[in-house]
Amino acid sequence: RVDLMESGGGSVQAGGSLRLSCVISGYTYSRTQYCMGWFRQATGKEREGVAVIDSNGSTRYRDSVKARFTISKDSDKDTLYLQMNSLKAEDSGMYYCAAELCSASWSYDPNIDADMDYWGQGTLVTVSS
């Protein structure tokens, strides 16, 4: 099974930056067949998509994080990243990385979709205003 482990969360003041990391292991198929993403859940709210990256490296973002967050992956290190800049209080929450098998026609909109097959345990981000 695919295992994911996040790190890098913490407390930061508004306007600050954090970089989240997610180490992925246990690929059942070639790692090139997986799409990945970052999601978050604030207290009392539903989980929402933040950013996703497909097997070719194409990225899509939630509208509210565009131009502030960057998703990337290092295939040699089996690690997914989320660079978060200009953080706002509303960015606070538990951040999860996730992955799923995907095809070339994979269409995923983090503004709408919030589910994948494999999940990490989460890392907490707290932004104080």
Side-chain angles (χ1 to χ4, degrees), residues 8 33 53 56 60-62 73-74 76 84:
Q33 294 179 269
I53 185 167
N56 294 318
R60 300 162 203 163
Y61 295 90
R62 187 174 193 81
K73 62 181 179 180
D74 185 332
D76 291 338
M84 306 187 293

Side-chain angles (χ1 to χ4, degrees), residues 115-128:
D115 200 11
M116 285 193 178
D117 292 332
Y118 307 102
W119 292 86
Q121 295 298 310
T123 186
L124 184 64
V125 172
T126 303
V127 184
S128 57

